[in-house]
PDB file of all heavy atoms in Angstrom:
ATOM      1  N   ASP A 452       7.393  15.980  -8.768  1.00 90.00           N
ATOM      2  CA  ASP A 452       7.829  15.056  -7.659  1.00 90.00           C
ATOM      3  C   ASP A 452       8.018  15.877  -6.382  1.00 90.00           C
ATOM      4  O   ASP A 452       7.536  15.371  -5.291  1.00 90.00           O
ATOM      5  CB  ASP A 452       9.147  14.380  -7.993  1.00 90.00           C
ATOM      6  CG  ASP A 452       9.057  13.354  -9.047  1.00 90.00           C
ATOM      7  OD1 ASP A 452       7.885  13.049  -9.525  1.00 90.00           O
ATOM      8  OD2 ASP A 452      10.044  12.847  -9.522  1.00 90.00           O
ATOM      9  N   SER A 453       8.547  17.016  -6.494  1.00 89.00           N
ATOM     10  CA  SER A 453       8.770  17.844  -5.261  1.00 89.00           C
ATOM     11  C   SER A 453       7.524  18.312  -4.601  1.00 89.00           C
ATOM     12  O   SER A 453       7.261  18.378  -3.369  1.00 89.00           O
ATOM     13  CB  SER A 453       9.713  19.031  -5.647  1.00 89.00           C
ATOM     14  OG  SER A 453       9.129  19.817  -6.567  1.00 89.00           O
ATOM     15  N   ALA A 454       6.525  18.700  -5.562  1.00 90.00           N
ATOM     16  CA  ALA A 454       5.147  19.145  -5.087  1.00 90.00           C
ATOM     17  C   ALA A 454       4.504  17.956  -4.291  1.00 90.00           C
ATOM     18  O   ALA A 454       3.777  18.217  -3.310  1.00 90.00           O
ATOM     19  CB  ALA A 454       4.329  19.816  -6.192  1.00 90.00           C
ATOM     20  N   GLY A 455       4.511  16.838  -4.895  1.00 89.00           N
ATOM     21  CA  GLY A 455       3.746  15.714  -4.287  1.00 89.00           C
ATOM     22  C   GLY A 455       4.464  15.373  -2.964  1.00 89.00           C
ATOM     23  O   GLY A 455       3.820  14.916  -1.990  1.00 89.00           O
ATOM     24  N   ALA A 456       5.777  15.450  -2.868  1.00 89.00           N
ATOM     25  CA  ALA A 456       6.485  15.089  -1.699  1.00 89.00           C
ATOM     26  C   ALA A 456       6.277  16.063  -0.592  1.00 89.00           C
ATOM     27  O   ALA A 456       6.374  15.699   0.624  1.00 89.00           O
ATOM     28  CB  ALA A 456       7.994  14.973  -1.946  1.00 89.00           C
ATOM     29  N   GLN A 457       5.926  17.299  -0.905  1.00 90.00           N
ATOM     30  CA  GLN A 457       5.679  18.275   0.101  1.00 90.00           C
ATOM     31  C   GLN A 457       4.461  17.855   1.110  1.00 90.00           C
ATOM     32  O   GLN A 457       4.521  18.110   2.236  1.00 90.00           O
ATOM     33  CB  GLN A 457       5.314  19.623  -0.480  1.00 90.00           C
ATOM     34  CG  GLN A 457       6.559  20.381  -0.975  1.00 90.00           C
ATOM     35  CD  GLN A 457       6.202  21.704  -1.689  1.00 90.00           C
ATOM     36  OE1 GLN A 457       5.478  22.476  -0.987  1.00 90.00           O
ATOM     37  NE2 GLN A 457       6.621  21.999  -2.825  1.00 90.00           N
ATOM     38  N   ALA A 458       3.420  17.351   0.460  1.00 89.00           N
ATOM     39  CA  ALA A 458       2.289  16.846   1.274  1.00 89.00           C
ATOM     40  C   ALA A 458       2.693  15.664   2.187  1.00 89.00           C
ATOM     41  O   ALA A 458       2.256  15.637   3.321  1.00 89.00           O
ATOM     42  CB  ALA A 458       1.131  16.424   0.354  1.00 89.00           C
ATOM     43  N   ILE A 459       3.569  14.846   1.721  1.00 90.00           N
ATOM     44  CA  ILE A 459       4.033  13.740   2.481  1.00 90.00           C
ATOM     45  C   ILE A 459       4.935  14.274   3.636  1.00 90.00           C
ATOM     46  O   ILE A 459       4.714  13.739   4.786  1.00 90.00           O
ATOM     47  CB  ILE A 459       4.871  12.777   1.594  1.00 90.00           C
ATOM     48  CG1 ILE A 459       3.997  11.995   0.662  1.00 90.00           C
ATOM     49  CG2 ILE A 459       5.720  11.756   2.440  1.00 90.00           C
ATOM     50  CD1 ILE A 459       4.689  10.991  -0.203  1.00 90.00           C
ATOM     51  N   VAL A 460       5.751  15.175   3.423  1.00 89.00           N
ATOM     52  CA  VAL A 460       6.658  15.653   4.484  1.00 89.00           C
ATOM     53  C   VAL A 460       5.784  16.244   5.588  1.00 89.00           C
ATOM     54  O   VAL A 460       6.119  16.112   6.812  1.00 89.00           O
ATOM     55  CB  VAL A 460       7.640  16.735   3.898  1.00 89.00           C
ATOM     56  CG1 VAL A 460       8.250  17.585   4.968  1.00 89.00           C
ATOM     57  CG2 VAL A 460       8.693  16.016   3.060  1.00 89.00           C
ATOM     58  N   VAL A 461       4.740  16.932   5.270  1.00 86.00           N
ATOM     59  CA  VAL A 461       3.852  17.627   6.250  1.00 86.00           C
ATOM     60  C   VAL A 461       3.099  16.531   7.050  1.00 86.00           C
ATOM     61  O   VAL A 461       2.922  16.697   8.267  1.00 86.00           O
ATOM     62  CB  VAL A 461       2.925  18.609   5.631  1.00 86.00           C
ATOM     63  CG1 VAL A 461       1.872  19.182   6.604  1.00 86.00           C
ATOM     64  CG2 VAL A 461       3.704  19.737   4.909  1.00 86.00           C
ATOM     65  N   ALA A 462       2.691  15.408   6.429  1.00 89.00           N
ATOM     66  CA  ALA A 462       1.756  14.464   7.027  1.00 89.00           C
ATOM     67  C   ALA A 462       2.549  13.304   7.678  1.00 89.00           C
ATOM     68  O   ALA A 462       1.901  12.742   8.568  1.00 89.00           O
ATOM     69  CB  ALA A 462       0.674  13.961   6.000  1.00 89.00           C
ATOM     70  N   ILE A 463       3.593  12.935   7.207  1.00 91.00           N
ATOM     71  CA  ILE A 463       4.176  11.658   7.637  1.00 91.00           C
ATOM     72  C   ILE A 463       4.597  11.633   9.117  1.00 91.00           C
ATOM     73  O   ILE A 463       4.638  10.621   9.850  1.00 91.00           O
ATOM     74  CB  ILE A 463       5.329  11.227   6.782  1.00 91.00           C
ATOM     75  CG1 ILE A 463       5.668   9.737   6.954  1.00 91.00           C
ATOM     76  CG2 ILE A 463       6.637  12.112   7.035  1.00 91.00           C
ATOM     77  CD1 ILE A 463       6.675   9.210   5.889  1.00 91.00           C
ATOM     78  N   ARG A 464       4.948  12.830   9.670  1.00 86.00           N
ATOM     79  CA  ARG A 464       5.418  12.846  11.116  1.00 86.00           C
ATOM     80  C   ARG A 464       4.341  12.302  12.056  1.00 86.00           C
ATOM     81  O   ARG A 464       4.611  11.765  13.110  1.00 86.00           O
ATOM     82  CB  ARG A 464       5.852  14.185  11.453  1.00 86.00           C
ATOM     83  CG  ARG A 464       6.322  14.449  12.861  1.00 86.00           C
ATOM     84  CD  ARG A 464       7.596  13.586  13.166  1.00 86.00           C
ATOM     85  NE  ARG A 464       8.698  13.715  12.262  1.00 86.00           N
ATOM     86  CZ  ARG A 464       9.526  14.659  12.294  1.00 86.00           C
ATOM     87  NH1 ARG A 464       9.365  15.648  13.115  1.00 86.00           N
ATOM     88  NH2 ARG A 464      10.579  14.842  11.400  1.00 86.00           N
ATOM     89  N   LYS A 465       3.030  12.494  11.660  1.00 88.00           N
ATOM     90  CA  LYS A 465       1.938  12.077  12.560  1.00 88.00           C
ATOM     91  C   LYS A 465       1.803  10.581  12.576  1.00 88.00           C
ATOM     92  O   LYS A 465       1.426   9.984  13.574  1.00 88.00           O
ATOM     93  CB  LYS A 465       0.583  12.647  11.974  1.00 88.00           C
ATOM     94  CG  LYS A 465       0.514  14.126  12.170  1.00 88.00           C
ATOM     95  CD  LYS A 465      -0.792  14.712  11.509  1.00 88.00           C
ATOM     96  CE  LYS A 465      -0.740  16.215  11.577  1.00 88.00           C
ATOM     97  NZ  LYS A 465      -2.034  16.687  11.040  1.00 88.00           N
ATOM     98  N   ARG A 466       2.244   9.902  11.506  1.00 90.00           N
ATOM     99  CA  ARG A 466       2.165   8.301  11.446  1.00 90.00           C
ATOM    100  C   ARG A 466       3.474   7.735  11.947  1.00 90.00           C
ATOM    101  O   ARG A 466       3.422   6.689  12.558  1.00 90.00           O
ATOM    102  CB  ARG A 466       1.875   7.975  10.114  1.00 90.00           C
ATOM    103  CG  ARG A 466       0.331   8.145   9.666  1.00 90.00           C
ATOM    104  CD  ARG A 466       0.044   7.811   8.224  1.00 90.00           C
ATOM    105  NE  ARG A 466       0.387   6.393   8.002  1.00 90.00           N
ATOM    106  CZ  ARG A 466       0.132   5.833   6.766  1.00 90.00           C
ATOM    107  NH1 ARG A 466      -0.158   6.589   5.695  1.00 90.00           N
ATOM    108  NH2 ARG A 466       0.440   4.493   6.549  1.00 90.00           N
TER     109      ARG A 466
END
Side-chain angles (χ1 to χ4, degrees):
D452 290 354
S453 60
Q457 286 181 48
I459 288 180
V460 166
V461 172
I463 197 169
R464 180 59 57 75
K465 296 179 182 179
R466 286 175 62 184

